[in-house]
């Protein structure tokens, strides 16, 4: 994903001019990303995108006889495509093939980490599977408009993702309907325990509550699962042994999926040992890895905050900084191990804690990418206002509507002010027509329709009330006359 400490093949002198040009393109992309004084224009992105594709064509010609070559040129090219991908999302072209590049790269990392962690929810796999199908559609639609090299690269990466995804799905294939809820709860608890373990202040009471719940599940499933009794070894040794046992059983089984009860039993045992381990550690990490831990936790916290304020504060290219930092940490591992300055691996607690933070951060990036709206950042303020208006109007409608059309005046005034911003039916920024016109126009029409329905219902309600009041007055006015006649 980025420049990495891994050893690369020496650069072919013929490729040096290509490297120089793509380094220049990467610098220009970085400058464009850093410029927050104006919104990013599609034409600026397309110009740099086409320049990258030209260099790729030249590179492919040089490498006709050495297709598997990998050196710094490929690393910088990957940087450029990652940035271009995020720029395509920033300008609202989220459904096009280049926008898929960053998403697929993130999902590949995420799937590898899920497999390495050894536990995951079926919901995770379903979500990723659906997105891979959507991205395949984007690639198919882009065959006539985008670089064949890019499309081939995307298809190859998605094929790798699908292979890993199918392997993970296979591992859960024997979970029966009665075991599925137990498994999902255990995965949720294990993740929550890992999250608690990585807080600034260790939540003792919360972890105890999780422990109590695990003991309840153990008691409930006592007749179904054979769980080993606690021995005198440390929790760290027991957890390491459990992971080794699971790996050995997996290797011995080959392509045979584990029996459902075995899957649940393994996760339950891991939960029980892990809760013992983190209670012993009390949130303290091996000091050799304190800097890496602090860095990953800060990245996770920043990404967590972005998920809460995304629609108002995130420019998709901002994710590049986080991806770059995470990629460097991930690629610095050796055989999956985090190493200290002397090349010595971390203890099991540190390894699993750092892996959790790494995986969680990539999961946040995945969430932010798939939540990207098909609207240019130039139109996002209007789009976000309309989203808020639509949500408010739906809440008004679901709560019974309004009693009088006057109550809709604030909504109508805001909608009319937004509608009046259009020029010949388009939302303009200067002389430019930003991407996402259809999405914003559709959203505006939905808001007008909701307001119209609420106004119509309010008018009918008011007419019914007025009619009922007239009937009441008429009846009350007729009663005394009847009384006089009787007298």
């Amino acid at each position: 994903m980025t420049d990495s400490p891994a050893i690369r093949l020496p650069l072919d002198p013929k490729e040096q001019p290509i490297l120089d040009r793509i380094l220049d393109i990467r610098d220009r992309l970085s400058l464009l990303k850093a410029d927050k004084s104006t919104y990013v224009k599609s034409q600026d992105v397309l110009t740099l995108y086409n320049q990258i594709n030209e260099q790729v064509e030249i590179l492919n010609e040089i490498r006709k006889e050495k297709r598997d070559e990998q050196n710094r040129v490929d690393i910088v090219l990957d940087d450029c495509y990652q940035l271009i991908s995020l720029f395509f999302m920033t300008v609202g072209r989220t459904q096009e093939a280049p926008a898929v590049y960053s998403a697929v790269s993130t999902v590949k990392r995420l799937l590898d980490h899920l497999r390495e962690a050894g536990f995951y929810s079926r919901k995770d796999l379903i979500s990723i599977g659906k997105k891979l199908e959507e991205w395949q559609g984007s690639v198919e639609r882009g065959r006539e408009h985008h670089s064949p090299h890019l499309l081939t690269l995307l298809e190859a990466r998605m094929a790798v993702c699908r292979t890993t995804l199918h392997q993970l799905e296979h591992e859960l294939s024997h979970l029966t309907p009665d075991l599925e809820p137990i498994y999902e709860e255990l995965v949720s608890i294990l993740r929550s325990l890992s999250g608690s373990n990585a807080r600034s202040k260790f939540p003792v009471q919360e972890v105890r509550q999780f422990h109590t719940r695990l003991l309840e599940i153990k008691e409930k499933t006592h007749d179904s699962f054979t769980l080993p009794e606690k021995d005198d070894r440390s929790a760290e040794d027991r957890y390491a042994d459990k992971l080794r046992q699971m790996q050995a059983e997996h290797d011995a089984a080959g392509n045979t999926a584990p029996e459902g009860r075995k899957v649940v039993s393994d996760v339950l045992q891991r939960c029980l040992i892990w809760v013992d381990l983190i209670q012993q550690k009390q949130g303290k990490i091996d000091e050799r890895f304190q800097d890496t831990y602090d860095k990953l936790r800060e990245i996770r916290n920043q990404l967590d905050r972005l998920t809460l304020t995304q629609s108002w504060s995130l420019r998709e290219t901002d994710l590049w900084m986080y991806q770059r930092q995470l990629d460097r940490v991930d690629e610095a591992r050796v055989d999956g191990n985090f190493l200290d300055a002397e090349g010595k691996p971390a203890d099991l607690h540190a390894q699993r804690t750092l892996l959790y933070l790494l995986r969680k951060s990539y999961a946040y990036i995945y969430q932010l990418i798939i939540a990207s709206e098909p609207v240019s950042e130039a139109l996002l303020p209007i789009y976000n206002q309309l989203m808020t208006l639509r949500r408010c109007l739906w809440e008004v409608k679901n709560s019974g509507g309004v009693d009088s059309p006057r109550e809709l005046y604030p909504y109508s005034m805001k909608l009319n002010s937004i509608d009046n911003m259009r020029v010949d039916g388009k939302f303009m920024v200067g002389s430019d027509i930003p991407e996402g016109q259809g999405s914003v126009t559709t959203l505006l029409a939905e808001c007008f329709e909701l307001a119209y329905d609420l106004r119509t219902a309010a008018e009918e309600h008011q007419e019914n009330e007025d009619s009922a009041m007239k009937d009441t007055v008429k009846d009350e006015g007729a009663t005394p006359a009847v009384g006089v006649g009787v007298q």
Side-chain angles (χ1 to χ4, degrees), residues 269-306:
Q269 290 179 52
R270 289 182 63 181
C271 285
L272 290 167
I273 304 173
W274 183 244
V275 75
D276 284 345
L277 179 54
I278 66 173
Q279 283 177 325
Q280 291 174 14
K281 296 290 185 178
Q282 292 286 303
K284 294 179 181 179
I285 197 83
D286 185 337
E287 61 181 13
R288 295 176 299 152
F289 296 89
Q290 187 67 48
D291 290 342
T292 304
Y293 172 76
D294 291 340
K295 178 180 180 179
L296 288 175
R297 194 174 67 175
E298 179 58 26
I299 292 173
R300 181 205 59 181
N301 292 343
Q302 290 178 12
L303 290 168
D304 184 23
R305 288 192 289 271
L306 276 177

Side-chain angles (χ1 to χ4, degrees), residues 63-76:
R63 291 185 178 177
K64 274 186 176 180
E65 305 301 325
K66 45 179 181 178
R67 290 298 186 187
D68 295 332
E69 177 85 7
Q70 289 287 310
N71 54 43
R72 193 174 176 224
V73 173
D74 302 273
I75 303 302
V76 180

Side-chain angles (χ1 to χ4, degrees), residues 3-224:
D3 295 334
S4 122
I7 298 174
R8 303 291 173 183
L9 292 175
L11 183 67
D12 186 328
K14 294 180 182 178
E15 296 183 12
Q16 185 61 51
I18 298 174
L19 177 61
D20 293 339
R21 292 189 191 101
I22 61 177
L23 282 170
D24 177 64
I25 293 171
R26 187 176 70 175
D27 290 343
R28 288 156 62 192
L29 285 167
S30 298
L31 289 173
L32 186 61
K33 176 184 74 69
D35 184 7
K36 300 294 181 72
S37 62
T38 183
Y39 76 94
V40 179
K41 299 176 179 63
S42 292
Q43 190 53 50
D44 295 337
V45 177
L46 289 173
T47 298
L48 294 170
Y49 170 61
N50 290 331
Q51 290 176 7
I52 294 172
N53 290 335
E54 290 173 5
Q55 297 307 309
V56 171
E57 290 180 11
I58 298 172
L59 180 65
N60 286 341
E61 190 65 27
I62 293 174
R63 291 185 178 177
K64 274 186 176 180
E65 305 301 325
K66 45 179 181 178
R67 290 298 186 187
D68 295 332
E69 177 85 7
Q70 289 287 310
N71 54 43
R72 193 174 176 224
V73 173
D74 302 273
I75 303 302
V76 180
L77 270 177
D78 191 66
D79 285 352
C80 291
Y81 275 131
Q82 287 274 22
L83 275 167
I84 283 291
S85 178
L86 295 171
F87 270 118
F88 264 73
M89 284 187 275
T90 299
V91 300
R93 304 176 75 153
T94 59
Q95 305 302 313
E96 296 191 34
V100 170
Y101 190 94
S102 183
V104 172
S105 298
T106 301
V107 161
K108 183 183 181 304
R109 298 267 187 182
L110 189 54
L111 286 169
D112 287 342
H113 293 154
L114 289 176
R115 179 170 57 185
E116 184 178 355
F119 67 96
Y120 40 87
S121 167
R122 196 185 294 276
K123 294 177 183 177
D124 300 331
L125 308 184
I126 292 173
S127 170
I128 291 174
K130 288 181 178 178
K131 284 301 172 183
L132 285 172
E133 290 303 314
E134 289 181 20
W135 298 334
Q136 182 64 48
S138 296
V139 170
E140 295 299 330
R141 290 192 299 273
R143 293 203 179 279
E144 296 181 4
H145 309 289
H146 295 289
S147 163
H149 166 79
L150 174 63
L151 299 182
T152 301
L153 184 58
L154 282 172
E155 288 187 314
R157 290 193 176 184
M158 284 193 288
V160 172
C161 289
R162 277 191 286 268
T163 297
T164 306
L165 180 65
H166 292 157
Q167 290 172 350
L168 297 178
E169 290 172 337
H170 180 66
E171 293 294 310
L172 304 183
S173 60
H174 289 171
L175 276 178
T176 56
D178 61 312
L179 293 175
E180 186 91 33
I182 302 173
Y183 173 80
E184 292 291 332
E185 183 179 3
L186 289 172
V187 169
S188 176
I189 290 175
L190 191 47
R191 286 180 173 172
S192 297
L193 287 170
S194 296
S196 299
N197 177 55
R199 289 190 193 172
S200 56
K201 183 178 180 180
F202 187 75
V204 176
Q205 187 58 37
E206 182 178 301
V207 171
R208 283 176 182 168
Q209 290 173 354
F210 284 127
H211 195 184
T212 300
R213 179 56 186 154
L214 288 171
L215 293 176
E216 291 173 355
I217 295 174
K218 178 183 178 183
E219 184 65 26
K220 178 182 176 182
T221 59
H222 181 71
D223 294 335
S224 302

